[in-house]
Amino acid sequence: MAKKKRIVIALGGNALGNTLPEQMTAVKITARAIVDLIEEGCEVVVAHGNGPQVGMVNNAMIALTHEDPQQPNTPLSVCVAMSQAYIGYDLQNALREELLDRNITDIPVATMITQVRVDENDEAFQNPSKPIGRFMTKEQADEMAAKYDYIMKEDSGRGYRRVVSSPKPQEIIEIGTIRTMVESGDLVIACGGGGIPVTRQGNHLKGASAVIDKDFASSLLARELDADFLIILTAVEKVAINYGKPDEKWLDNITVDEAKQYMAEGHFAPGSMLPKVQAAVEFAESAPGRHALITLLEKAKDGILGDTGTRISRS
């Protein structure tokens, strides 16, 4: 029997929606695309972002402190954990239902609440830049900064938002358990929102006030699981160079070296396509036979079959 292709798939915000009702609808579509890959003979591990969700949780926890002064402020690491659980809850139920609808009864689905160690000396902690939560007035922002020691920055004339650090992932704490579950044939959802950011203090893991880029976390997860493919889902079918210009060119199959050249030439926007390409390159160059694919959710199966998407390989 041929060995199944092992795929780590990184779901973006468009696969999850921006509100609870949107999420419940979106995960049904997402589940269909994932189970399509399973029917193609792939072994799938799911990671996901939590951009709007962690902001909503953080806002709700702040509202609680306003209603009840006895309630302490909730650390951002705890908000990430909460978002992992409720996104995982919707995802695993949608996946289980889709599997059963196709008479696939032998693949358990489970969410692993995942901690990811970051380096407390990461330069990102010196320059928080990742906005989360709602927009505020200058007065509201000053109040939040004074009350909670938040770093608040003006955002493109739309108001002020809290900004937090986005350090690189160094270690997936629960990787042994995740690996055991995957080897047992489970469909595992892990590293939600990039993972709960923690730093190591002896045997203690301390939550960090940060968010980890889900694409970098997914790349690390794929490497640790010895996956064949990392699929990074985005809002476009393929990656482009000279995007939006008359000489715009959509990329099909490119090498790691070509991707690095395009990055050096500044073709990809920071905070948008650039981290996706960086994460894809990290995975593709990590061992022979590993490929990264960047494409749309609904094109994931076609991309694995080589019919679309941007595929990045060592050579």
Side-chain angles (χ1 to χ4, degrees):
M1 183 177 177
K3 178 181 178 291
K4 290 184 176 181
K5 284 191 179 110
R6 180 172 292 176
I7 295 170
V8 171
I9 186 165
L11 303 176
N14 60 333
L16 298 172
N18 291 304
T19 66
L20 284 172
E22 281 184 17
Q23 180 171 296
M24 293 186 72
T25 300
V27 294
K28 291 182 182 297
I29 299 168
T30 300
R32 287 198 288 271
I34 292 171
V35 177
D36 282 347
L37 292 172
I38 291 171
E39 285 195 326
E40 285 295 323
C42 299
E43 188 178 70
V44 180
V45 181
V46 180
H48 61 80
N50 70 345
Q53 294 86 356
V54 74
M56 288 189 294
V57 172
N58 186 61
N59 290 342
M61 294 298 100
I62 290 172
L64 180 61
T65 66
H66 290 162
E67 291 176 11
D68 182 358
Q70 301 302 313
Q71 287 285 347
N73 189 37
T74 304
L76 183 56
S77 56
V78 176
C79 295
V80 174
M82 291 178 175
S83 72
Q84 280 191 3
Y86 93 73
I87 294 170
Y89 163 62
D90 276 349
L91 264 175
Q92 71 185 34
N93 280 339
L95 286 164
R96 177 182 179 275
E97 183 177 344
E98 186 66 26
L99 287 164
L100 293 176
D101 283 348
R102 303 194 200 188
N103 294 315
I104 302 172
T105 60
D106 59 346
I107 300 180
V109 188
T111 299
M112 171 59 66
I113 302 301
T114 315
Q115 300 173 95
V116 174
R117 184 180 64 81
V118 297
D119 183 352
E120 61 183 4
N121 296 313
D122 192 304
E123 290 182 0
F125 284 112
Q126 306 305 315
N127 182 33
S129 59
K130 188 78 170 179
I132 67 164
R134 63 187 177 90
F135 289 96
M136 302 180 196
T137 64
K138 179 71 164 61
E139 292 73 21
Q140 290 171 324
D142 288 343
E143 180 185 350
M144 299 300 285
K147 189 171 184 178
Y148 301 121
D149 201 27
Y150 286 175
I151 298 172
M152 310 295 294
K153 288 187 179 178
E154 199 276 331
D155 188 343
S156 306
R158 295 178 292 176
Y160 288 78
R161 293 179 80 187
R162 180 186 180 189
V163 292
V164 299
S165 305
S166 186
K168 290 289 291 290
Q170 302 296 324
E171 176 189 4
I172 299 169
I173 302 300
E174 287 78 19
I175 190 61
T177 305
I178 295 168
R179 189 180 289 117
T180 298
M181 294 168 70
V182 171
E183 296 289 352
S184 297
D186 293 2
L187 172 46
V188 182
I189 302 160
C191 291
I196 303 163
V198 296
T199 58
R200 194 185 297 280
Q201 300 183 345
N203 290 331
H204 176 64
L205 296 172
K206 177 180 173 57
S209 185
V211 291
I212 302 169
D213 186 284
K214 68 101 173 45
D215 295 318
F216 287 122
S218 300
S219 177
L220 177 59
L221 179 64
R223 281 175 273 146
E224 290 288 342
L225 293 176
D226 193 23
D228 301 293
F229 269 92
L230 169 65
I231 304 180
I232 296 176
L233 300 177
T234 187
V236 291
E237 187 170 340
K238 298 179 182 180
V239 178
I241 56 174
N242 300 313
Y243 182 71
K245 299 177 181 178
D247 56 346
E248 177 181 271
K249 178 184 176 184
W250 297 98
L251 304 174
D252 297 312
N253 295 294
I254 61 173
T255 66
V256 163
D257 288 342
E258 287 171 330
K260 288 180 176 179
Q261 179 182 337
Y262 294 142
M263 285 190 285
E265 291 170 353
H267 284 285
F268 311 125
S272 179
M273 187 58 75
L274 179 59
K276 297 181 189 308
V277 177
Q278 289 173 326
V281 165
E282 275 188 4
F283 175 72
E285 72 177 352
S286 62
R290 292 180 176 176
H291 308 278
L293 176 71
I294 302 176
T295 193
L296 287 165
L297 170 67
E298 57 268 29
K299 298 290 186 177
K301 183 176 80 169
D302 293 336
I304 286 295
L305 296 174
D307 296 331
T308 192
T310 299
R311 186 180 294 211
I312 302 175
S313 309
R314 287 180 79 171
S315 58

